[in-house]
Each structure stands twice: as C-alpha cells, then as structure tokens.
Amino acid sequence: MSGPSPSPVIDVHNLSKRYGGKTVVDRLSLTVPRGHIYGFLGPNGSGKTTTIRMLCGLLTPDEGEGTCLGFDLRRDAEKIKRQVGYMTQKFSFWEDMTIHENLSFVARLFELDRPDERVEAIMNSMQLTDRASQLAGSLSGGWKQRLALAACILHEPSLLLLDEPTAGVDPKARRDFWDEIHRLADQGITVLVSTHYMEEAERCHSIVYMAYSRLIVQGTVEEVIAQSHLVTWTVEGSHLMDLMRSLEGNPAIATLAPFGTRLHISGTDEALMMKALAPYMNNETLTWSRTTPTLEDAFIHFMAQHGERGGKAA
Amino acid sequence: MRNGISFYRIGAVLIKELRQLRRDKPTLGIMIMIPIVQLMLFGYAINTDPKYQPTALLIQDYSPFTRTLLAGFQNTDYFSMVKVVSNDREGHDLLQKGEVQFVITVPTNFARSIIRQEKPRLLIEADATDPTAAANALSALNGIITKALEHDMTGPLAALQPKGAAIDVTVHRLYNPEGFSRYNIVPGLMGVILTMTGIMMTALSLTREREQGTMENLLSMPVKPLEVMAGKIAPYVLIGYTQAAIILLAAKLLFGVPILGSVGLLSAALIIFLICNLALGFTVSAGARNQTQALQLSFFLIMPSILLSGFMFPFRGMPEWAQSIGSLLPATYFIRIVRGILLKGNDLVLIWPNAWPLFVFMLITMAIAMKLYKQTLD
C-alpha cells in the first residue's frame, strides 16, 4: 500500500437526501483515506446506493458539504466523474454491443489516449480477450461483472465506487473479484464497495454500517463487533428450535440465530442474560460455550436496535 | 479541450448508436418499410376526387335529348350508370343503402319541354354524406348539360340554343390540372412519415437507456447532453434522408409526381425538419418513464401532425383555432415547403415564409431538449 495521503479521498459531512418528504440519507458523515477498501453494509433501502450516487455526482445532496478526491461535491461533479469508476448495482452496459465495443465506447467517452491499446490491455488483464466479440447481453453474471469492472477501471480512476458488485455471482468469480479489488487498492486506488455478504465485509480494511438512512457504526471488523457490546453463547444439541421458541421475546436476549446444529444467542447485558439462560444450562442434551459474536450477530443487533428507535423509517 | 463540446465523444456516441441499430434489424426494416407501405396505402388509396361513382337513372322520357345528356354525363368519367330504376322510391332506396352515389331523374315530357323552351327540371340527387366525394362531380355537371344539348340543337332546333348564354365558367386547376390527389398526398406523406419515425425513434432510444439502466452509466461518465444528443440524432438523420429518398423516388416513378424545384433545396429544408422532430423526440423522452409512455406521448404529437398540418384536410378549411395549433407544428411548414418545391418549383425566396418558422422551431426544440436532459438522476 502506498503511504498515507494527508487529505482523505472521501470527506463528506452531514450529507442528506430526501425524496418527496422521505429522508433517504440522513446527515451522513464519512472520511475514507487513500488506498483503503471500505465495505459499505446495511439492509436494503438503508441509503447505500443513494450515498454512492451522491459521491460520484449522479445525485445532488439536499444538505451537507464535502469533497471527493479534493473536488467539491456540488460544484465539480464533472471533474469527479473523470476520476471515479462507478459500477452500478444493476448491470448497465449495452447488452446489444460486444465486450470490445462496450469498452471502446467507454474509452472514447473518457477521451483516453490510444484507446484501442488501452482496451486491449484491460481485456488482457481481465481475461476478457477470448470473449471480446461476445454480446454483453449473452454473458453470464460473473462475466458481466468482469466487463463492468474492466470498464470502471479502464480510465485508471483514483476512486472506485462499487454498488453490490458481487450480487448473483458464484463464489469462485467473487473470490477472483476480491483479489482484483485488493490488487487495485495496493496500487493506491481507494475502493468503496457495498455488499450484503459478511465474508466480503471481512475482507475490507474498514466497514461502514448504514441502517434506516443513517450511518450506525464504522471501523474495522473487530471495532464494529466490539461496539455492539454483545455477549454471545453458542448452544449445540437437539431440540434447538424448542429452546429458541422459549427464549424468543425474552428482554435479556438481543438476537437468536440458528446455524445448522448450533444456535447463536446474544445479549447486551451479561448478568440478565445468564439469569435467562440458567434454566437451560444444566440440560444434558445441550452443550454451551461462550464465543465472540460474529459480524452478522452485530449487524442484526444494530438493525433491531435502530429499527426500534427509528420507528417506521424503513 | 476538457470543458468544451468534444466531437470525439459525439463520434463515440454515434458509433455506439450505429452498432446498436445494426443489431436491431426489425426496427431498421420497419423504418424502411414504413415509407413504402404508407406510400402505397395513401398514395393509391386516398383520392379526394373519386371518379366512376355509381349512379342510378330514373328515365320518364326517352328521347334523343335524354340519350345525349346521359352520354355527356358518362363522358365526364364521374358517373357510372349502374342501374335503371322505375320510380322515385326505388331510387331513394338505393341512395339510402349507399348502393349508388347519385340518382338522375329525367322528368316526363322532357324533350317536349325543351322544345317549348319551358326549361325542364333535371333532378340530380346526390348522397352528400361525404361532401368531397360528390362535390367535383356536381360541379362538372353544369357545363355538361349545356354542352351536350348544344349538340342536339341543330337544324330546325337551332333556334332553341340559349343565346349568349350567361357566362361560360372556366375553372383552371393550377399545379395539378388533372386534379390528382396523389400530387398532393405524396409530398405530404414525406412530412408525416418523417415526423412519425423521427419523434418515435429518438423518444424510444433515450427512454430505452433509462429503462435498461444504461442511462445511469452514461451519466456517470464525462459526456455532455449536447454530445449525447448529437450522437444519438445523427444516425436518425441518415435514416430520415433514406426515407425521404425512397419517397421521392416513388413519387417520381410510381406516382408520376413532377419534381419541378431543386432537390438540393429540399435536402436543406429536410435537415432542419429532421432535427426539429428528433429534438421533439428527445423532449418526449424526458417526460416518459418507459418506452410505452414514450410511444403514447409520441402519438400525442404525431396525430395533430397528420390531421392539422394540411396533410389530411385543407389547412384553410380548418377553423382558426385549429389553424393556430397547426401553425405550431413543424410538419405544417415542411409539407408546404415540399409541395412548393416539387409542384410549384419554388426557390428559396418563395419557401422562405415557411422555412424560417421551421428554423426557429428547430432552435427552440433543441434548447428545450437540452434543458430537459438531466445530468443527474435527481
């Protein structure tokens, strides 16, 4: 990774966006240093896509200030566009054009020098050369994603904004994709990537969790888990569903999640939780062990917590 | 040039559009077929001066006069004697059923009355539900009657000839002496077809980008509205010229429409008209959420262009409010320009009164289209 840059790549304060009276992004502040991979997580409709669109100049924030790559979000949308690679959530390249035609169109819109060479080079490095003359519409999910990434990095942007790039892509293609992301970050490119996959979140340097239009928590995976203040127990055994039913609704228990033959039970107040679990601890058919909460436990807890506070903000 | 308009990027959009068009064979085919099919349909089918209309006869007096008169009727080509009836009621019945357009009644003692100079009454009943169908035939009648009878008023009957008969009405039909409707319709079709395809194709092309999500991609890249517009319009300008060429060829070869004026001048007017329609299509797409809406909105503009532009009905025959609407349509001016150039051999000076409104219209629609093309997703 290249040395830390004094000014952050993304530096925004109190960004808000409303659609017809409904606040979609509520006073979001975010600072992303250069060369970092930031994972953007949160339930559907939490405002991730809107935030990304505001960052690349596709949407004008209703309130708030900030810079992206040192350019003002409101005044310099054009300059931001030149240095940002934005990958939309839905595949948005021209399905009736081939891979090569799509890439060469993008190269020309960015007015790149020697566009044909650049297109050849990117196709080589992304292993798209064999399929150069295949129509984009006929590609499978993984290849579409590769084409989209190739088109996004073609103009050598300093910042990549990827909106759920791996949705609907098989595990192998996802792993390749993440290797590529890390390679790019290593070259000094900053990446903000939204995802629903926990193991992808764990591959990020930092994560930002949004729910109900607000930024809830950010930091490394460990920091985020720590901030949840959760205590988690794992139970193994039979009749787990009975146990789950009897614990449901208990105020001492924050989240309950079955994982195959195990059940994750988390709560924020250890003393209260122990009291609630005590009657079951002696059951011989169950094996109890204290574990660290997973990112998922933490997120589900955050979501429940803020859902209660946020009312019907969803 | 980082901030100005880039022809390089316009070129990129243009190539993209051409590639997509090339793969959209059905649409391409339709755009070539539209002018041909419509020309055939309208060119051959619409005739505001119908000939050989079915006519029934009620003859109550057979005489040489009657025969001459009927021969005269038939010579006009407007009447085709299909039936002889024996009384009024039968004649009315045929009219009511729509089996005949006219019933001609030769009254009893027709010949005797003529000889006695009693000015007998020849009754012609016309089905006037479609006034245009009957108008020309009826107006041709007057002349025939006098002419035909003159022929018989010879020898001892010469004295019966109407002396210094009132006025001899002569009608000169300028530019279309034979009164061929197709002379009028084929040039008009050029305006209508180009309006149709021009508005629809651009409206669809832009809403398609929005519907398929590629618009978001386009907006996230450094390309300006004018560049997208120019690049997207250019292929349709080419298609418009192809359609115009097909129509012009058919006009000449199939319909024998004279081309008296300059084709170069027509081409110059054509590009202004095409840009008007393409920019209108852009404007339509800004108001449409999907391709279905874009089509509906396009038709909203296309219908008045067909009905109120002077293509379907004579412009001067419309009430003033309809004329004012018609005056806001580029097709109105273009149709006048085409008719002027083809049929009257008009030059630039003569088409100018219709050319400048078209030019102003082009500038305004382009400005609106660019204003409406949003550079953000807001």
Side-chain angles (χ1 to χ4, degrees), chain A residues 216-268:
Chain A
I216 306 293
V217 65
Q218 63 175 314
T220 61
V221 174
E222 293 73 28
E223 283 165 5
V224 167
I225 293 174
Q227 282 181 62
S228 72
H229 304 295
L230 281 182
V231 178
T232 300
W233 281 83
T234 307
V235 205
E236 215 167 341
S238 50
H239 306 297
L240 284 175
M241 290 311 282
D242 292 339
L243 176 64
M244 198 172 158
R245 253 181 305 252
S246 46
L247 286 174
E248 242 163 37
N250 193 318
I253 310 295
T255 66
L256 279 164
F259 287 87
T261 58
R262 282 173 296 133
L263 186 66
H264 275 216
I265 306 171
S266 308
T268 40

Side-chain angles (χ1 to χ4, degrees), chain A residues 34 67 75 85 97 101 106 113 119 147 153 201 210 216 293 301:
Chain A
R34 186 164 175 271
T67 58
R75 286 196 316 268
M97 296 209 292
E101 287 166 353
V106 172
D113 294 329
V119 169
L147 163 61
I153 57 176
M210 266 187 101
I216 306 293
H301 171 61

Side-chain angles (χ1 to χ4, degrees), chain B residues 172-220:
Chain B
H172 281 241
R173 292 163 158 191
L174 293 174
Y175 317 121
N176 186 3
E178 298 90 347
F180 291 146
S181 308
R182 58 177 186 267
Y183 278 18
N184 190 25
I185 284 179
V186 172
L189 261 185
M190 190 183 282
V192 168
I193 291 170
L194 294 177
T195 304
M196 264 177 63
T197 47
I199 294 180
M200 267 183 340
M201 294 321 293
T202 29
L204 286 181
S205 132
L206 217 64
T207 28
R208 194 182 305 127
E209 302 264 10
R210 203 170 307 136
E211 219 175 62
Q212 299 184 344
T214 49
M215 184 53 95
E216 184 177 359
N217 203 344
L218 210 53
L219 289 174
S220 74

Side-chain angles (χ1 to χ4, degrees), chain B residues 46-65:
Chain B
I46 300 182
N47 188 355
T48 53
D49 187 17
K51 301 278 173 79
Y52 305 106
Q53 303 189 64
T55 307
L57 292 171
L58 174 55
I59 304 171
Q60 293 165 331
D61 181 71
Y62 287 92
S63 69
F65 289 125

Side-chain angles (χ1 to χ4, degrees), chain B residues 19-336:
Chain B
R19 279 180 169 145
Q20 291 183 295
L21 259 177
R22 198 188 61 204
R23 296 211 170 90
D24 190 2
K25 296 249 160 56
T27 302
L28 259 188
I30 288 166
M31 279 188 293
I32 301 300
M33 283 312 287
I34 282 178
I36 296 174
V37 171
Q38 295 208 347
L39 267 174
M40 294 301 160
L41 282 179
F42 294 140
Y44 283 121
I46 300 182
N47 188 355
T48 53
D49 187 17
K51 301 278 173 79
Y52 305 106
Q53 303 189 64
T55 307
L57 292 171
L58 174 55
I59 304 171
Q60 293 165 331
D61 181 71
Y62 287 92
S63 69
F65 289 125
T66 308
R67 277 194 300 278
T68 340
L69 211 52
L70 293 182
F73 275 74
Q74 263 169 321
N75 286 341
T76 61
D77 292 344
Y78 280 115
F79 305 93
S80 160
M81 312 302 178
V82 293
K83 208 128 192 180
V84 175
V85 294
S86 49
N87 58 50
D88 277 0
R89 207 189 302 137
E90 234 183 293
H92 280 151
D93 205 39
L94 289 173
L95 275 178
Q96 205 141 28
K97 285 191 207 147
E99 282 180 28
V100 297
Q101 182 76 32
F102 302 102
V103 175
I104 301 174
T105 308
V106 181
T108 42
N109 299 330
F110 183 62
R112 205 175 65 189
S113 300
I114 291 177
I115 296 168
R116 288 185 179 175
Q117 293 187 283
E118 284 174 358
K119 296 208 169 177
R121 207 166 63 115
L122 184 74
L123 180 64
I124 295 160
E125 291 155 299
D127 175 357
T129 45
D130 183 356
T132 42
N136 282 341
L138 290 176
S139 72
L141 276 181
N142 251 337
I144 312 165
I145 297 172
T146 358
K147 277 270 165 55
L149 290 181
E150 259 173 26
H151 184 75
D152 280 350
M153 312 279 189
T154 48
L157 298 177
L160 294 176
Q161 288 230 8
K163 312 252 159 28
I167 319 143
D168 181 21
V169 183
T170 326
V171 180
H172 281 241
R173 292 163 158 191
L174 293 174
Y175 317 121
N176 186 3
E178 298 90 347
F180 291 146
S181 308
R182 58 177 186 267
Y183 278 18
N184 190 25
I185 284 179
V186 172
L189 261 185
M190 190 183 282
V192 168
I193 291 170
L194 294 177
T195 304
M196 264 177 63
T197 47
I199 294 180
M200 267 183 340
M201 294 321 293
T202 29
L204 286 181
S205 132
L206 217 64
T207 28
R208 194 182 305 127
E209 302 264 10
R210 203 170 307 136
E211 219 175 62
Q212 299 184 344
T214 49
M215 184 53 95
E216 184 177 359
N217 203 344
L218 210 53
L219 289 174
S220 74
M221 294 192 272
V223 58
K224 296 192 170 55
L226 186 67
E227 293 163 354
V228 174
M229 187 157 137
K232 272 190 169 289
I233 275 181
Y236 296 108
V237 170
L238 279 180
I239 288 173
Y241 268 99
T242 313
Q243 291 181 323
I246 292 174
I247 297 170
L248 219 51
L249 271 177
K252 181 88 190 156
L253 302 177
L254 290 178
F255 298 100
V257 176
I259 301 179
L260 301 178
S262 142
V263 175
L265 184 61
L266 186 60
S267 311
L270 192 58
I271 191 154
I272 299 176
F273 179 61
L274 285 172
I275 294 175
C276 282
N277 286 320
L278 299 171
L280 264 182
F282 248 74
T283 312
V284 163
S285 74
R289 268 200 209 96
N290 52 45
Q291 294 189 63
T292 318
Q293 282 186 1
L295 266 185
Q296 286 168 338
L297 274 171
S298 302
F299 269 99
F300 183 73
L301 284 173
I302 291 166
M303 285 314 284
S305 297
I306 294 175
L307 296 174
L308 303 179
S309 64
F311 165 71
M312 200 70 109
F313 309 113
F315 195 79
R316 291 192 188 90
M318 302 192 300
E320 249 173 63
W321 60 267
Q323 290 198 19
S324 340
I325 297 175
S327 306
L328 293 175
L329 301 167
T332 303
Y333 300 101
F334 184 68
I335 288 175
R336 289 183 197 155

Side-chain angles (χ1 to χ4, degrees), chain A residues 211-212 214 251 253-255 300-314:
Chain A
Y212 307 107
R214 283 197 300 271
I253 310 295
T255 66
I300 290 170
H301 171 61
F302 284 132
M303 210 176 138
Q305 204 178 25
H306 288 272
E308 284 155 24
R309 282 187 208 160
K312 23 185 209 331

Side-chain angles (χ1 to χ4, degrees), chain A residues 17 58 86 94 96 111, chain B residues 9 23 209 216 377-378:
Chain A
K17 184 73 187 173
L58 273 178
Y86 169 48
W94 289 268
D96 48 359
E111 293 179 290
Chain B
R9 282 197 298 254
R23 296 211 170 90
E209 302 264 10
E216 184 177 359
L377 289 169
D378 289 290

